Amino acid sequence: MKLNELLTYLHEPLLKIEEDIEITSIEMDSRAVKEGSLFVCIDGYTVDGHDYADQAVEKGAVVILAEKPLQVNVPVIIVNDTKRAMARLADAFYRQPTQELHLIGVTGTNGKTTTTHIIEKIMAEAHKKTGLIGTMYIKIGDEQEAVQNTTPESLTLQKTFRKMRDKGVTNAMIEVSSHALDLGRVHGCDFDVAVFTNLTQDHLDYHHTMEAYKQAKGLLFAQLGNNFNVNKPKFAVLNRDETVCDEYIKMTAAKVLTYGIDHKADVMANNITMTSNGTTFDLIAFGEKRTVSVNMAGKFSIYNILAAACASLASNIDLDTIVRAIEKLEGVRGRFELVDGGQDFTVIVDYAHTPDSLENVLLTIKQFAKGDIFCVVGCGGDRDKTKRPLMAQIAAEHSNEPIFTSDNPRSEDPGMILKDMEAGVLNKHYHSILSREEAISFAIKNAKKNDVVLIAGKGHETYQQIGKEVFDFDDREVALKAISELNK
Ligand SMILES: CC(=O)N[C@H]1[C@@H](OP(=O)(O)OP(=O)(O)OC[C@H]2O[C@@H](n3ccc(=O)[nH]c3=O)[C@H](O)[C@@H]2O)O[C@H](CO)[C@@H](O)[C@@H]1O[C@H](C)C(=O)N[C@@H](C)C(=O)N[C@H](CCC(=O)O)C(=O)O
Ligand SMILES: Nc1ncnc2c1ncn2[C@@H]1O[C@H](COP(=O)(O)OP(=O)(O)OP(=O)(O)O)[C@@H](O)[C@H]1O
Ligand SMILES: N[C@H](CCC[C@H](N)C(=O)O)C(=O)O
Ligand SMILES: [Mg+2]
């Protein structure tokens, strides 16, 4: 694509480059630059991309996008915010793929991965070709690619959306993290439906206050419909039972649809009953009622189902198709996943890594547990430190045998993370076992018939990051190994 054409998408008054250069790719990492690349300098959290402009030019960059003047022998385009400018350029370079997709974005502290997967199943039931981007992977049809972030940066996003279109995808769903909204990773995405799950504490290391965190999530609704294709109708799908709902309603210019359990909403669940193999409830959508049985436990799961149903109705999927899909749901990997090695007690691996999710999962387990509850839990390093004592407190309050251990300590001292957790449970009974493998083994060795062992925090993850090293580690495999050793 020619540079001057690309630059029109920045809407920068007076911006003009004399020479019309052919741009072969846009890169934000100097190491990926090729002949003809446009290199974007990003002042990151670790290093400043402006310091790599020379290296980019040496590797063939023909133009640099920067936030300050640079001494290089190629044109330098200066903008106030290179991340957001990059997002616009990426959207243009990949020929505005989200305008050709029905795009659903899901934000909220908990439930994004689960909700996007439920929507994916509903879309598949409606014979749509789907693409999904989130914590676990990028998934196009049945093909999966690994991801580093829940919401990748804009270059990867737009390239992926174009790839989806090339493979015939019509309906895409994406988890939109608060970091992504704050950092402009989804700037340039033309969302059709924006979904909100809930807002509880997490990521205060990044946002510092709940107010800032709330505002960051609100951007998905505030910006909905600001982009490009004004002819496509836009819907904000909001959780009526969350106190922040009214604020997000005020922020958005889009049509609002609500879902809820405790308050009256467009899409609701009534008469929720837990059964031995799941939950039954009346799904009431715009006055129409269907009684549904799902293979998922807990009120929080019903919220995710309602969010997905509401988003699908906003996408013109009919209620019967939605009901058929949700009755076939089998749950999402690492979310309330049962581990069965033939033992006479229940083992559950779950991705609860926030105070609210841990509490929800433990309260759900309490509803059916016939014996004691063991809770193996740790907190990630280089993440919100203030959630550590809270998670420990919740584990101690709602389980009989809380076992604190390591999650992904990353650059932090695992022993110090345990100390932060222990500070939340003075005068209460608990165990602290630094090695996650030993902690899981301890729980499994000590569990008796009808007890429940919850292994929380890492869900689908197949690694453990300690320092800079990443080891193979899968809670489910470690649990199965411990179970297999029980009768030896
Ligand atoms: C705080 C944060 O979001 N950091 C993200 C950021 O990294 P960074 O700012 O440290 O980047 P940096 O290393 O300083 O590099 C700055 C620039 O210099 C460039 N560079 C660097 C070296 C070089 O030799 N040449 C060069 O050009 C880099 O390519 C980059 O453009 O940009 C990276 C590339 O896009 C991200 O992978 C990285 O996410 C890190 C891994 C991360 O842990 N992020 C978390 C906090 C996060 O974003 N989480 C959310 C929410 C999770 C959830 O709740 O679900 C998520 O969406 O994942
Ligand atoms: N609607 C919900 N409300 C509260 N807790 C939930 C909800 N849905 C799921 N959870 C809990 O949160 C955990 C993570 O769920 P999920 O992976 O769907 O959330 P997420 O928002 O994608 O998380 P992440 O921020 O890591 O991407 C689950 O394992 C479960 O314990
Ligand atoms: N998306 C979340 C995942 C946390 C998972 C937990 N296992 C940890 O490593 O802290 C985060 O990056 O904060
Ligand atoms: Mg997720």
Side-chain angles (χ1 to χ4, degrees), residues 411-430:
S411 74
E412 289 193 58
D413 173 351
M416 294 308 287
I417 299 178
L418 275 190
K419 291 242 169 327
D420 287 344
M421 293 183 73
E422 289 163 2
V425 289
L426 298 172
N427 306 324
K428 281 221 171 104
H429 164 74
Y430 65 86

Side-chain angles (χ1 to χ4, degrees), residues 243-293:
T243 45
V244 72
C245 182
D246 283 327
E247 278 187 63
Y248 289 170
I249 289 178
K250 285 182 200 153
M251 275 188 195
T252 188
K255 164 94 183 133
V256 173
L257 301 183
T258 57
Y259 64 92
I261 298 175
D262 302 329
H263 295 86
K264 198 169 165 3
D266 298 318
V267 177
M268 297 196 67
N270 280 348
N271 301 323
I272 301 173
T273 1
M274 272 192 54
T275 63
S276 55
N277 43 9
T279 312
T280 300
F281 63 95
D282 289 337
L283 174 68
I284 300 168
F286 298 92
E288 273 199 58
K289 183 173 117 182
R290 303 282 189 282
T291 301
V292 285
S293 297

Side-chain angles (χ1 to χ4, degrees), residues 353-355 358 377-392 404-410 412 414 417-418 420-421 436 456-457:
H353 53 75
T354 65
L358 189 61
V377 63
C379 294
D382 303 335
R383 293 287 185 273
D384 186 350
K385 287 192 165 107
T386 62
K387 68 181 179 180
R388 295 174 188 168
L390 301 176
M391 286 174 66
F404 305 146
T405 188
S406 302
D407 188 293
N408 291 310
R410 302 191 177 88
E412 289 193 58
I417 299 178
L418 275 190
D420 287 344
M421 293 183 73
R436 193 170 178 91

